[in-house]
Amino acid sequence: MDHNALAELLEVLESRRDTEERSREERYTGLIERVGMALSTAPAPTATPAMSAPKARAMKMTAEDDPDAYLVVFEKILSGLAKGLNVQLENNGYKELVIAINPQVAEGTLILTKIKEMVTEASVYLFSATGGRFYFKDVKILLPLTWSNNYEKSRTESYVKAKVIIAEPYLKYGDDPYTLQYGGCGEEGLYIHLTPDFLLDDTFLSVYGPRGRVFVHEWAHLRWGVYDEYNEQKPFYISKDQKAEPTRCSKDITGITEALSCTGSSCSVQKCSIDPATSLPAGNCKFFPNKQQNTPASIMFLQSLSSVTQFCDDNTHNFEAPNMQNKICNYRSVWDVIKRSEDFNKSVPMTTTPPAPQFTLMRKGDQVVCLLLDVSGSMADFNRLNRMRQAAEVFLLQIIEPGSWVGIVSFESTGKVLKVLSQIEDEASRKVLAKALPNVASGGTEICKGLNTAFTVLRGDDSSTYGDEIILLTDGEDTTVGTCLDDVRSSGTIIHTIALGPNAAKELETMSNVTGGLQFSATDSLDSNGLIDAFAGISSGSGDLAAQSIQLESSGQKISNQAWFNGTVSIDKTVGNDTFFTVTWEKNEPNIYLTSPAGKTFTAANFTKDPVLNTARLLIPGTAETGDWQYSLFNKLNTQTVTMTVTSRAADTSVPPVTVSAHMNQDTSAGNAPMVVYAEVSQGFLPVLGANVTAFIETNSGNPYVLSLLDDGSGADAVKVDGIYSRYFTAFKGNGRYSLKVKVQGRDITARLAVRRQGRAMYIPGYVENGKIELNPEKPPVNEDDFQINVGSFSRSTTGGTFTVAGMVGTTPPIFPPCKISDLEAELKHDAVSLSWTAPGENADQGTAKAYEIRMSKSLQKLRDDFSAAVLVDTSTLSPHAAGSKEEFGFLPDEMTIQNGTILYFAARALGRTDVKSEVSNIARAAMIMPPNQPTEINPGSNITGIVLIVTGIVAGVCILISATLCIMKKKQQARTSPVA
């Protein structure tokens, strides 16, 4: 959003606040503050301001409208502002798209050529598919440090924030292009993953189709939050016409269903039979589409077909197909979701052909970091200065990667160079930097003075600040920080911010947003270990997981005199190199006992201690032993807080470590809707299942709110068992900063890896040409053993950064409606209906709902469009269980007759404490199809009832024939045995 649009938005907000009642005034004030911060960082105004999309939408609202509608519009706009350096849409063209290449990918010009060809082709295809609305305008290809230094140096672009990554798959199970999607329908994904083989091996063209078409398929996942229209787990279904149909969109896609049989690398097709239990194609039956089609839809089903040039819309959408698009998006068509997107609403079709994409090649340089540390007078309060030194020392001695360059600057009313850039070469170079940390606090707070000094230090290696990083820690307010934001933007520096205490400058998050940096906050509560967590959360972002430090444990506790603080850290076989156990305390050194899995005990005498910083550190030689490490800290004297931090690195550079990343679904909130906590647990690009994942959300008060995150496909969790653990957060405690921390424990289990079912281009086994099935190369088989990886018990801890609540009235958490039921399932058993689902809460996914409202219909669309008009199910005997419980409910549908061919649809919603209702659930489908007595060959679209009648007729005919034969034989026998007259 440009300067003009923001200025207009600010004007509208201020005018609305002046006319609103007092209950909404504080909320408007919070929004105005956020717009003001964004305005201070926006590009300079244009000469001729035009009416912006936000202003136009706001002006369409009249005073008679619900005033809260204004707030909803503006909050959505502001959540977009917080995305910082994400892809932007400007005059129909997408710009700032970063495609990043992993350091493990071999250098070569061919892969760069293929990337350019793919995006150029995709731009034309996207423009056509969207009716002239969108194309790719500006693309940056970020090359890794491992490639030769023949390219422009990157600025704020980074591998970890790129929207497209090129990397090898982990476990060689295939090269499916896919998009990692966390959220629900219409929510932007995290990234598209393409493999080098997909780009370089042309044999994949017959499988996935032209690369540009595949990229558009994935772009729709990423940008607009739509889902696939096929389903490998449910490739066929029974339609309302009682026909066996392939799961597809549109239904006009034609083809043949046959069984695929493979022995080694040799495959053939055989006749397909139906499963007697389901009346659906059985076993290895596959749908082989005709190569030539007469339908243009749909890109989210099979973009490889030459005729496919459109997304399914309301006219072509297959509402019956059991695919993820229907499940997640409540049976809305892909085009309907796109039409409701922000991109669509702020664009109009172009009347001219767009230009080809412009590509910029840039290379990531060495990691160059300057610590910019506040030493103003307020840092002497609450032991902040010493805590800052403890955390910065952990960063310098344990976190920052070898080969990086580090400088140190302190600031109060002026900036002061404490250490010019020095390279991390060995332990000695780390200690030299740690000794340079500041130890005196006094003076005021002028962040811009410190920034200017930091820029000077960063220029010490190559006279440039492009791509360099600043870690800015401050605890004070600074009214002058806006004066240097233009310098910050033009510097090309990535600024990570750490807000310490409740009064840190509000502009910090804006500064990190506009530079692509991370944002953290820490309270004055010592047992949260927040400052160390913040520093531990900052890595090079290069994509080289083997070089990065991984936090295994971060715990603290306030313990009284003669009391113990005990814990367990599980070290698995994917980590173990460069393993540190670090203890901190406030006043008096505790007794330290650390026991290895083999029973070896380490005491304080084995630790390297710093009595000034109040730290003790133990480096485990070589690779740390796998298993459970037990620690015990005994406080000998006065009550104090002690902490334990454990970090490590990968044990083998060829085996990616188990990692966890966490974030909220948005950076800012007005506290008027639940937020979602996400934590992804993975090894390489594969998810780790079955872990215990706990989130800790801390406010300025220092009292964390604890949530157990789930991967069960209910509530906030969009997809079951995909390694993404989620939960709603509703416990808002007023305005201010909130910090997120996540801890993960895999305890005495074999970590289960799974191939994610996220949005990806479908692997087609073959096509029908001239009536004959032409097979594609077989997809590499998946070895089940590859997905049962015994990593042992493992521990992980990470920070998810900070988010801000502004505009909330008061400090009492609001009560929200129950969350939507998203996993409703239905089954017809004889004359009865059996329903099951995961229980929501009375407050999102917390507590116990008051009651359920369940309705059914023979029409899917009627149930979806007018839930309240559908047949109401009697639930008077149904008592809701606590959120997260499995609900089961059976009943006899007296209002409807169940017979062969009956298909019924069901939906539900929960009622909260004050009868506030949840959204209507997903629609569950149940069919009663009586299978034939014997398996019968079946083609897609075959009428099941017809088959049953045919088989029944054949059986009846055989019975008649047998009866007649027996009758004739009996008569002949009687004739032979009759007495002769």
Side-chain angles (χ1 to χ4, degrees):
M1 186 178 296
D2 63 18
H3 191 284
N4 296 324
L6 286 167
E8 292 171 353
L9 176 57
L10 186 61
E11 177 186 341
V12 174
L13 277 171
E14 289 175 336
S15 65
R16 288 295 304 178
R17 179 183 60 178
D18 293 340
T19 60
E20 283 299 339
E21 58 190 59
R22 183 174 298 275
S23 63
R24 296 187 180 93
E25 183 178 346
E26 184 176 347
R27 194 169 164 196
Y28 272 101
T29 299
L31 295 177
I32 288 170
E33 289 179 355
R34 287 154 61 192
V35 174
M37 286 188 288
L39 182 61
S40 66
T41 64
T46 57
T48 55
M51 178 68 78
S52 63
K55 180 74 174 285
R57 287 198 296 272
M59 292 302 99
K60 289 178 182 178
M61 300 179 182
T62 65
E64 289 74 29
D65 289 333
D66 179 5
D68 284 329
Y70 285 91
L71 295 172
V72 171
V73 169
F74 293 136
E75 283 157 7
K76 287 184 177 180
I77 293 169
L78 289 170
S79 66
L81 292 178
K83 294 179 180 178
L85 297 179
N86 279 356
V87 179
Q88 301 170 22
L89 181 65
E90 181 181 273
N91 298 327
N92 300 89
Y94 289 110
K95 54 182 292 188
E96 300 294 337
L97 171 60
V98 177
I99 301 176
I101 298 178
N102 188 276
Q104 303 301 321
V105 175
E107 183 172 359
T109 58
L110 181 57
I111 196 169
L112 300 179
T113 300
K114 293 294 186 180
I115 292 172
K116 293 177 182 179
E117 290 175 351
M118 175 185 68
V119 177
T120 301
E121 179 185 31
S123 186
V124 176
Y125 189 55
L126 178 67
F127 187 75
S128 172
T130 58
R133 283 186 179 269
F134 310 118
Y135 70 98
F136 295 108
K137 179 179 182 180
D138 164 27
V139 179
K140 298 175 180 178
I141 303 177
L142 181 62
L143 312 178
L145 180 62
T146 52
W147 285 32
S148 58
N149 190 13
N150 299 324
Y151 305 94
E152 174 184 333
K153 186 179 179 182
S154 65
R155 300 179 70 173
T156 56
E157 299 79 15
S158 67
Y159 180 90
V160 293
K161 291 204 170 186
K163 287 302 182 183
V164 183
I165 58 175
I166 312 298
E168 297 284 357
Y170 175 56
L171 297 187
K172 301 288 186 177
Y173 67 91
D175 292 271
D176 288 340
Y178 72 86
T179 302
L180 181 58
Q181 294 177 271
Y182 273 27
C185 183
E187 295 186 29
E188 190 173 348
L190 263 73
Y191 59 77
I192 297 170
H193 177 198
L194 306 176
T195 69
D197 282 350
F198 169 77
L199 291 167
L200 298 173
D201 189 347
D202 287 346
T203 61
F204 287 116
L205 295 176
S206 63
V207 175
Y208 301 108
R211 296 185 183 94
R213 287 171 167 249
V214 175
F215 192 77
V216 171
H217 175 103
E218 300 305 328
W219 182 258
H221 284 306
L222 178 77
R223 187 69 181 183
W224 301 312
V226 298
Y227 285 80
D228 287 319
E229 293 170 330
Y230 66 90
N231 189 336
E232 290 183 341
Q233 283 67 48
K234 296 181 179 180
F236 301 95
Y237 68 99
I238 303 299
S239 72
K240 65 181 179 182
D241 300 324
Q242 301 176 36
K243 295 179 180 180
E245 296 281 0
T247 301
R248 68 201 191 282
C249 193
S250 71
K251 288 180 69 174
D252 294 332
I253 296 284
T254 59
I256 297 175
T257 298
E258 297 287 6
L260 183 65
S261 176
C262 295
T263 303
S265 59
S266 176
C267 295
S268 61
V269 292
Q270 302 173 354
K271 290 184 178 180
C272 184
S273 61
I274 65 171
D275 184 341
T278 63
S279 301
L280 292 172
N284 292 325
C285 292
K286 307 288 184 183
F287 175 61
F288 296 88
N290 291 320
K291 191 76 171 181
Q292 302 300 321
Q293 301 280 345
N294 295 318
T295 177
S298 167
I299 292 171
M300 299 313 294
F301 172 66
L302 204 54
Q303 74 288 328
S304 59
L305 296 173
S306 59
S307 71
V308 171
T309 58
Q310 297 175 7
F311 297 100
C312 264
D313 59 19
D314 290 347
N315 295 321
T316 56
H317 182 60
N318 183 359
F319 294 95
E320 296 181 303
N323 55 37
M324 290 297 289
Q325 174 62 24
N326 277 334
K327 179 182 178 181
I328 302 295
C329 293
N330 201 28
Y331 297 88
R332 289 161 52 197
S333 71
V334 168
W335 187 242
D336 181 56
V337 176
I338 295 174
K339 284 172 63 178
R340 301 189 191 193
S341 69
E342 183 181 348
D343 287 353
F344 195 94
N345 289 331
K346 66 179 184 182
S347 66
V348 294
M350 294 176 61
T351 57
T352 58
T353 302
Q358 296 296 308
F359 296 93
T360 303
L361 300 180
M362 49 182 55
R363 176 181 173 271
K364 180 70 176 176
D366 289 325
Q367 185 180 23
V368 181
V369 180
C370 182
L371 301 186
L372 180 55
L373 308 176
D374 187 349
V375 292
S376 61
S378 57
M379 287 293 293
D381 300 334
F382 304 102
N383 199 30
R384 290 173 182 168
L385 181 65
N386 200 59
R387 290 172 56 216
M388 178 186 72
R389 295 179 68 203
Q390 290 175 342
E393 184 184 65
V394 168
F395 178 78
L396 294 171
L397 298 182
Q398 301 172 212
I399 306 299
I400 186 74
E401 296 166 23
S404 301
W405 294 80
V406 180
I408 303 175
V409 170
S410 65
F411 74 94
E412 21 87 23
S413 298
T414 60
K416 180 180 179 181
V417 178
L418 301 181
K419 190 67 178 175
V420 298
L421 289 179
S422 302
Q423 191 170 28
I424 302 292
E425 297 176 329
D426 50 25
E427 185 179 359
S429 60
R430 293 177 182 272
K431 290 182 177 179
V432 169
L433 284 162
K435 287 182 179 180
L437 291 171
N439 54 18
V440 177
S442 65
T445 303
E446 293 196 39
I447 295 173
C448 289
K449 296 288 182 63
L451 283 169
N452 289 330
T453 306
F455 292 150
T456 300
V457 169
L458 292 175
R459 295 187 186 100
D461 60 336
D462 60 0
S463 302
S464 172
T465 58
Y466 284 2
D468 296 343
E469 300 172 64
I470 294 175
I471 300 176
L472 167 59
L473 183 150
T474 183
D475 73 336
E477 295 184 358
D478 181 2
T479 58
T480 67
V481 68
T483 61
C484 61
L485 286 173
D486 285 342
D487 293 335
V488 167
R489 185 192 301 277
S490 61
S491 71
T493 305
I494 300 170
I495 300 181
H496 310 294
T497 57
I498 303 175
L500 176 56
N503 299 318
K506 296 178 180 179
E507 293 81 3
L508 289 180
E509 285 76 19
T510 302
M511 193 170 291
S512 56
N513 278 332
V514 299
T515 63
L518 303 172
Q519 48 192 253
F520 306 96
S521 64
T523 69
D524 289 318
S525 174
L526 304 184
D527 53 2
S528 67
N529 217 20
L531 266 186
I532 290 179
D533 291 341
F535 276 99
I538 300 172
S539 67
S540 67
S542 67
D544 185 2
L545 292 178
Q548 294 177 13
S549 177
I550 296 171
Q551 192 176 44
L552 309 185
E553 171 74 327
S554 172
S555 294
Q557 185 173 311
K558 189 172 186 178
I559 52 178
S560 58
N561 179 26
Q562 301 295 304
W564 291 89
F565 171 40
N566 304 310
T568 301
V569 183
S570 302
I571 297 182
D572 58 278
K573 66 180 183 180
T574 69
V575 294
N577 287 347
D578 204 17
T579 301
F580 284 92
F581 289 80
T582 303
V583 179
T584 71
W585 59 90
E586 283 185 86
K587 307 168 186 175
N588 305 296
E589 177 188 333
N591 290 343
I592 302 173
Y593 303 93
L594 175 67
T595 305
S596 73
K600 181 179 180 179
T601 299
F602 300 87
T603 66
N606 302 111
F607 283 66
T608 300
K609 288 169 281 187
D610 186 330
V612 177
L613 285 183
N614 293 342
T615 62
R617 180 175 286 99
L618 173 66
L619 171 62
I620 304 299
T623 302
E625 181 184 349
T626 60
D628 288 346
W629 291 69
Q630 309 283 344
Y631 64 84
S632 296
L633 307 179
F634 180 69
N635 185 34
K636 297 174 289 186
L637 298 175
N638 300 325
T639 298
Q640 65 173 344
T641 298
V642 296
T643 72
M644 171 65 82
T645 303
V646 184
T647 61
S648 188
R649 300 188 198 272
D652 186 337
T653 57
S654 64
V655 178
V658 173
T659 59
V660 57
S661 61
H663 72 278
M664 305 296 294
N665 66 323
Q666 58 194 64
D667 294 332
T668 58
S669 171
N672 62 331
M675 296 181 69
V676 182
V677 187
Y678 293 115
E680 178 190 0
V681 186
S682 60
Q683 184 180 15
F685 291 106
L686 294 181
V688 175
L689 310 181
N692 294 320
V693 183
T694 306
F696 302 83
I697 299 175
E698 188 177 24
T699 66
N700 288 330
S701 66
N703 297 317
Y705 184 80
V706 182
L707 277 174
S708 293
L709 307 188
L710 305 175
D711 185 20
D712 61 356
S714 68
D717 193 59
V719 180
K720 186 178 181 179
V721 293
D722 63 349
I724 298 170
Y725 301 75
S726 317
R727 200 72 182 272
Y728 285 111
F729 171 67
T730 60
F732 299 102
K733 298 290 187 180
N735 298 322
R737 292 185 174 98
Y738 293 64
S739 63
L740 169 64
K741 177 178 182 174
V742 169
K743 302 185 75 170
V744 181
Q745 183 66 52
R747 174 63 61 191
D748 297 327
I749 61 172
T750 297
R752 168 70 183 174
L753 302 177
V755 181
R756 279 202 178 93
R757 299 175 186 173
Q758 66 266 15
R760 57 188 174 91
M762 181 165 59
Y763 193 107
I764 292 296
Y767 299 93
V768 179
E769 289 192 88
N770 300 320
K772 181 182 178 182
I773 295 177
E774 299 290 342
L775 293 177
N776 285 322
E778 183 192 7
K779 186 175 183 178
V782 177
N783 186 348
E784 184 67 19
D785 292 340
D786 287 341
F787 297 98
Q788 295 282 357
I789 297 181
N790 183 18
V791 299
S793 296
F794 65 91
S795 300
R796 296 294 185 271
S797 180
T798 191
T799 175
T802 186
F803 64 94
T804 303
V805 174
M808 180 176 171
V809 178
T811 58
T812 302
I815 299 298
F816 299 106
C819 65
K820 174 183 174 179
I821 298 169
S822 58
D823 60 349
L824 180 66
E825 295 183 356
E827 185 179 4
L828 294 181
K829 297 180 178 179
H830 304 293
D831 294 332
V833 174
S834 176
L835 301 177
S836 64
W837 65 94
T838 302
E842 66 170 349
N843 182 22
D845 57 2
Q846 307 292 313
T848 303
K850 179 180 179 181
Y852 293 114
E853 177 184 359
I854 301 175
R855 295 182 181 270
M856 62 182 180
S857 174
K858 290 187 175 181
S859 170
L860 183 154
Q861 284 148 304
K862 288 182 179 178
L863 183 62
R864 182 195 66 173
D865 298 337
D866 194 358
F867 173 80
S868 298
V871 176
L872 181 66
V873 175
D874 181 4
T875 58
S876 57
T877 61
L878 177 60
S879 297
H881 293 85
S885 303
K886 195 66 178 179
E887 300 277 30
E888 294 182 343
F889 181 64
F891 65 96
L892 296 174
D894 298 331
E895 300 83 354
M896 297 182 182
T897 302
I898 297 179
Q899 57 189 9
N900 187 33
T902 296
I903 299 177
L904 297 177
Y905 299 93
F906 303 86
R909 61 185 175 191
L911 281 68
R913 184 189 311 167
T914 58
D915 290 333
V916 60
K917 298 178 180 179
S918 71
E919 292 182 52
V920 176
S921 72
N922 66 294
I923 297 176
R925 179 181 182 275
M928 175 64 75
I929 304 295
M930 300 298 293
N933 293 327
Q934 297 293 331
T936 305
E937 182 182 348
I938 185 171
N939 287 319
S942 296
N943 188 294
I944 299 298
T945 302
I947 291 174
V948 173
L949 292 175
I950 290 171
V951 173
T952 303
I954 292 173
V955 172
V958 171
C959 290
I960 293 172
L961 180 61
I962 292 173
S963 298
T965 302
L966 290 173
C967 182
I968 293 171
M969 291 176 65
K970 184 175 181 180
K971 287 183 177 181
K972 287 183 178 181
Q973 186 176 8
Q974 288 176 347
R976 286 196 298 268
T977 59
S978 297
V980 179

